[in-house]
Amino acid sequence: MLISIASGKGGTGKTTVSASLTTVWDGPVTAVDLDVEEPNLHLFLNPWIASEDKVYLNVPEVDESLCTLCRECSSLCQFKAINVMGSAILTFPEMCHGCGGCMAICPEKAISWGRRELGTLSTGKSGFNDFLMGRLRVGEAMSPPLMRAVKERLVKNLDHRGGDAIIDAPPGVSCPAVCAVMDTDFILLVTEPTPFGLHDFKLALEAFVPFNKPVAAVINRSGLGDAGVERFCSEQGIPVLAHIPFDRDIAGAYSRGKVIAELSPELRSVFVQLARSIKEMGAGGRDA
Amino acid sequence: MREIVVISGKGGTGKTSLTGAFAHLAENKIICDLDVDAPDLHILLSPDMARTEDFYSGHEAVIDNSRCQMCGTCLDMCQFGAVQFDGARYFIENLRCEGCKVCVSFCPEEAIDFPERYCGQWFVSSTRFGTMVHARLFPGAENSGRLVTLLRNQAREKARQEGHDLILCDGAPGIGCPVISSLSGTNLAVIVTEPTLSGLHDLQRVAQLCSHFKIRVAVIINKFDLNSEQSREIEGYCREKGFSLVGNIPYDPQFTTAMVDKKVVTEVNTSHIAGKVSRIWDQILKLL
């Protein structure tokens, strides 16, 4: 089962929950950090990194001796990544989405694949668990292509080794978050009981419910704020699988990179129960 | 015209709560929420929407099955896995479609339409602290970078119309496309961080991004007393990089209490927190 931990809003405790769930998970699990803009899961799981590979996107390279400046490529390109200016053809690799249209349409076959670096893909081990992380190059704007590379590696890894995956998804509800949760079997939304938390939780539901997968919530910093989120979940029939109490000690432990499931037997049992509930709901199939 | 963008790298550091307070303290300004993915500033400012506009960006491919001859060219050529075949017909999964037009151009039957994509709405509103420009990107929609650029331009136009010389923006989290768009042309990036391992990590990444675009940086450490050792480390990092540390804010549930009341902290709290935030604002003004 692939479980994505998402949140709508940042800072709700997605990474805290991902790290703790991984630690208490019963059975082999791969922990995956798909928040490639700000990967943090490694700060908690302290993985031993076995390999770090650069990930590239294919972008066009033009052989100017073959180009007749016919502009077929530039009129197809929707991203202004290739353009004729005067008597020169220019490419803008940072704008390119890698669709390959320019190469396919060029009547002179003057375009071949070059590449631009998107970031790195790290693989390793955290305890007995496998660990995967994508890290976007600073200055690179597009995270989904790198996320796709991490997901491909995950699929290979699971084919080879089996087990489940716990995926720390990026915050927000636009393309990166959607890219992270769309191929998973279970979506766990981490929220906090405040007006900001409720507002972003509603946006996240709106984005993720169309995937028609089991969705459940965890309320972090329970006891802070108000009862809006709780009320909304019960109205919408979204099961709240766990409450993580609001506690300065937890916040302090988090700040030092501690996995909070390891702080006390009580907290550990919160996550053990959460893992069990996820497995039960996930086993119920997509209509659960 | 001076522009300040408040960013955080990581979500949940208190960026929006502080931007709200600055909106209260600042004079002669336009307020702008550039966190279009999960906007929250409106929760604190309760805007009256004076103008609502639809936001279209890019296009999406749609297969017309009455014209489709099932040749499969679109499926072969799509680099994004957006074309699907369910055994009876081809269709485009719109969340995967990047709008590159390759399938449209190469379809021998011209059976693929390419309508504009309706991505969200943007607003010009009045609030108790002045005019605000903000937006709502539909969950799952892309091109948030383009929407951010549109909002910035609207904010500039509004500022000219109203004769203000300051634009105060709540930026997006992360370091990808929306943040890059929100930083372009800004005078000062105010980074709100917190004294946690992930706080420092994300601060470094987003600060690197600011340096990359040659934007001046000021730093606020929120909840600094949660982990004083980590706070000192952040202070050291700022000194080393030459970033102005404009203030430390202690952990205080007043921020949440104010949020629950849909107010900003400087409106409801006459204690030292309000004073602290207002001194920080003075420091920021000195940097402009």
Side-chain angles (χ1 to χ4, degrees), chain A residues 37 76 97 173 183 200 246, chain B residues 40 96 98 105 140 175-176 251:
Chain A
E37 285 185 45
L76 173 62
H97 287 223
V173 295
D183 298 314
D200 298 328
F246 170 68
Chain B
D40 281 333
R96 292 183 203 263
E98 302 239 347
S105 303
I175 61 161
Y251 175 77

Side-chain angles (χ1 to χ4, degrees), chain B residues 183-189 206-217 243:
Chain B
L183 285 174
S184 84
T186 201
N187 299 81
L188 181 68
V206 82
Q208 221 180 318
L209 185 74
C210 292
S211 310
H212 185 88
F213 290 105
K214 301 193 169 48
I215 291 162
R216 274 200 305 155
V217 169
F243 301 149

Side-chain angles (χ1 to χ4, degrees), chain B residues 251-270:
Chain B
Y251 175 77
D252 195 320
Q254 289 276 8
F255 279 99
T256 311
T257 321
M259 187 207 300
V260 169
D261 290 338
K262 301 190 165 48
K263 294 220 164 79
V264 302
V265 73
T266 44
E267 280 178 298
V268 289
N269 180 8
T270 48

Side-chain angles (χ1 to χ4, degrees), chain A residues 66-132:
Chain A
L66 295 176
C67 175
T68 60
L69 305 177
C70 73
R71 294 172 195 263
E72 288 276 346
C73 55
S74 59
S75 60
L76 173 62
C77 181
Q78 297 295 299
F79 312 110
K80 301 187 172 71
I82 190 161
N83 232 319
V84 176
M85 284 185 188
S87 59
I89 181 145
L90 296 176
T91 59
F92 300 91
E94 303 282 337
M95 314 281 278
C96 177
H97 287 223
C99 72
C102 52
M103 201 159 99
I105 208 163
C106 177
E108 311 301 334
K109 305 220 176 325
I111 304 177
S112 58
W113 283 132
R115 60 186 195 174
R116 127 173 149 242
E117 187 190 331
L118 294 168
T120 54
L121 165 58
S122 308
T123 60
K125 284 265 185 200
S126 167
F128 294 112
N129 298 319
D130 286 358
F131 178 85
L132 278 179

Side-chain angles (χ1 to χ4, degrees), chain A residues 7-9 173 191-206 226 228-229 232, chain B residues 33 35-43 135-137 139 259 262:
Chain A
S7 69
K9 175 179 157 46
V173 295
T191 181
E192 54 179 20
T194 64
F196 286 2
L198 174 61
H199 177 255
D200 298 328
F201 183 73
K202 286 180 181 168
L203 293 181
L205 274 186
E206 201 181 320
D226 57 16
V229 172
F232 179 76
Chain B
D33 193 349
D35 185 357
V36 296
D37 200 359
D40 281 333
L41 191 57
H42 66 280
I43 296 171
R136 179 170 190 261
L137 193 68
M259 187 207 300
K262 301 190 165 48

Side-chain angles (χ1 to χ4, degrees), chain A:
Chain A
M1 179 165 52
L2 305 185
I3 300 127
S4 50
I5 317 286
S7 69
K9 175 179 157 46
T12 56
K14 215 165 30 66
T15 305
T16 304
V17 170
S18 303
S20 286
L21 256 189
T22 303
T23 314
V24 305
W25 198 256
D26 183 14
V29 63
T30 303
V32 186
D33 200 341
L34 270 186
D35 185 359
V36 300
E37 285 185 45
E38 304 291 7
N40 285 149
L41 192 56
H42 65 288
L43 299 173
F44 298 87
L45 292 179
N46 295 314
W48 171 74
I49 299 296
S51 72
E52 203 160 77
D53 305 313
K54 284 200 158 66
V55 177
Y56 299 92
L57 183 71
N58 289 330
V59 299
E61 236 163 49
V62 185
D63 180 342
E64 287 184 54
S65 68
L66 295 176
C67 175
T68 60
L69 305 177
C70 73
R71 294 172 195 263
E72 288 276 346
C73 55
S74 59
S75 60
L76 173 62
C77 181
Q78 297 295 299
F79 312 110
K80 301 187 172 71
I82 190 161
N83 232 319
V84 176
M85 284 185 188
S87 59
I89 181 145
L90 296 176
T91 59
F92 300 91
E94 303 282 337
M95 314 281 278
C96 177
H97 287 223
C99 72
C102 52
M103 201 159 99
I105 208 163
C106 177
E108 311 301 334
K109 305 220 176 325
I111 304 177
S112 58
W113 283 132
R115 60 186 195 174
R116 127 173 149 242
E117 187 190 331
L118 294 168
T120 54
L121 165 58
S122 308
T123 60
K125 284 265 185 200
S126 167
F128 294 112
N129 298 319
D130 286 358
F131 178 85
L132 278 179
M133 166 172 77
R135 190 197 290 261
L136 196 69
R137 176 176 60 82
V138 174
E140 166 61 43
M142 271 177 257
S143 52
L146 174 60
M147 295 170 68
R148 283 194 283 270
V150 180
K151 291 202 296 189
E152 278 165 24
R153 181 70 64 91
L154 172 65
V155 168
K156 256 191 231 161
N157 196 50
L158 292 181
D159 283 349
H160 182 62
R161 298 177 48 95
D164 302 310
I166 290 171
I167 297 169
D168 193 0
V173 295
S174 70
C175 26
V178 166
C179 177
V181 307
M182 69 192 313
D183 298 314
T184 62
D185 306 306
F186 190 99
I187 302 168
L188 186 67
L189 289 168
V190 183
T191 181
E192 54 179 20
T194 64
F196 286 2
L198 174 61
H199 177 255
D200 298 328
F201 183 73
K202 286 180 181 168
L203 293 181
L205 274 186
E206 201 181 320
F208 303 148
V209 158
F211 295 126
N212 202 21
K213 305 199 166 151
V215 176
V218 168
I219 297 183
N220 191 17
R221 305 192 185 105
S222 177
L224 183 80
D226 57 16
V229 172
E230 197 86 43
R231 203 178 311 127
F232 179 76
C233 284
S234 89
E235 282 163 14
Q236 298 292 315
I238 307 286
V240 176
L241 299 185
H243 290 84
I244 303 165
F246 170 68
D247 180 342
R248 256 191 90 126
D249 289 344
I250 294 180
Y254 166 84
S255 78
R256 291 187 295 279
K258 294 264 184 283
V259 175
I260 65 165
E262 292 172 347
L263 287 186
S264 68
E266 290 77 22
L267 278 169
R268 186 181 165 84
S269 77
V270 167
F271 286 100
V272 169
Q273 185 53 46
L274 173 62
R276 204 173 293 150
S277 307
I278 291 171
K279 284 191 172 173
E280 278 164 16
M281 268 186 80
R286 300 213 158 179
D287 300 324

